[in-house]
Amino acid sequence: MDQYCHGVLRTELGLGTFEAQLARTEGPPAPGTTLFDTQTGFAVRRWCPPLLGLEPHCPPSRYLARRRELGTVEAGRRLPRGSGIIAYLVDTGLPGDLTGPAEPARAGQAEAHEIVRLEQLAEQVADTSGTVASFLADLAESVHGAAAHAVAFASVAGLRHGLALAPEPPGAGQRCAARPDAGWPPGAPGTG
């Protein structure tokens, strides 16, 4: 089971675009290296080329040329089927033209289930909520609705703030300091 993955880009990728997808980093790779010299890059270079009829650790340019020779549909069929994965848990919260859970499932003859990104739900309801109280109510409704079809929820809070992020919800004072214009706490006079 792939317990956490993302959809697949639907287009052919050049070397630079493919390499950028190997790691979500804050900056360029170390001098004298590429992102193919990361743990993810090593894994791709070891395990993926043989599934496309190439030797392990072939040059990245040869691997990508083979993917283009086969085409996105055939490469997209061979890679997941050759992985032995029978179920994918797909985080659908990344931007871009990525496949949803159903497409990798079909390509790999596997099951796929959705992981919903909490920040994405919050962004969606923030666009239509006029007050803090309505935002909280709309977010609760959105999370409840997503729970009907999602197998899990994910958050990027750990990536953005570190794993020492306190698990307790912020208190009213912290919320008010963060958004003094928001009328915290909910239900306070004038907050609607």
Side-chain angles (χ1 to χ4, degrees):
M1 173 178 282
D2 187 333
Q3 95 302 357
Y4 184 82
C5 62
H6 303 286
V8 178
L9 285 167
R10 291 183 168 100
T11 59
E12 293 288 348
L13 303 176
L15 185 62
T17 306
F18 186 91
E19 186 178 354
Q21 298 297 315
L22 289 175
R24 302 266 179 216
T25 63
E26 293 296 321
T33 69
T34 74
L35 293 175
F36 282 101
D37 299 316
T38 63
Q39 293 303 309
T40 302
F42 294 144
V44 166
R45 291 177 61 206
R46 164 57 184 98
W47 297 106
C48 295
L51 298 175
L52 304 182
L54 299 170
E55 69 281 356
H57 303 290
C58 69
S61 59
R62 176 65 189 119
Y63 170 67
L64 292 175
R66 179 66 174 149
R67 286 176 62 124
R68 282 190 299 279
E69 289 169 15
L70 293 170
T72 56
V73 173
E74 180 61 16
R77 185 190 65 76
R78 287 185 184 198
L79 290 166
R81 288 184 187 178
S83 72
I85 295 171
I86 61 170
Y88 296 93
L89 303 185
V90 182
D91 178 349
T92 57
L94 283 181
D97 187 22
L98 301 174
T99 61
E103 291 165 276
R106 272 193 308 276
Q109 295 179 322
E111 292 180 34
H113 307 280
E114 183 178 15
I115 296 175
V116 173
R117 182 83 59 98
L118 291 171
E119 290 83 2
Q120 188 176 36
L121 291 179
E123 290 168 5
Q124 290 168 351
V125 300
D127 288 343
T128 58
S129 301
T131 66
V132 171
S134 66
F135 169 75
L136 293 173
D138 294 347
L139 182 57
E141 184 178 329
S142 184
V143 169
H144 182 74
H149 60 84
V151 295
F153 290 95
S155 173
V156 295
L159 292 173
R160 292 183 182 161
H161 303 288
L163 297 177
L165 185 66
E168 302 83 26
Q174 291 171 300
R175 294 189 303 258
C176 190
R179 291 284 317 269
D181 63 324
W184 285 96
T191 62

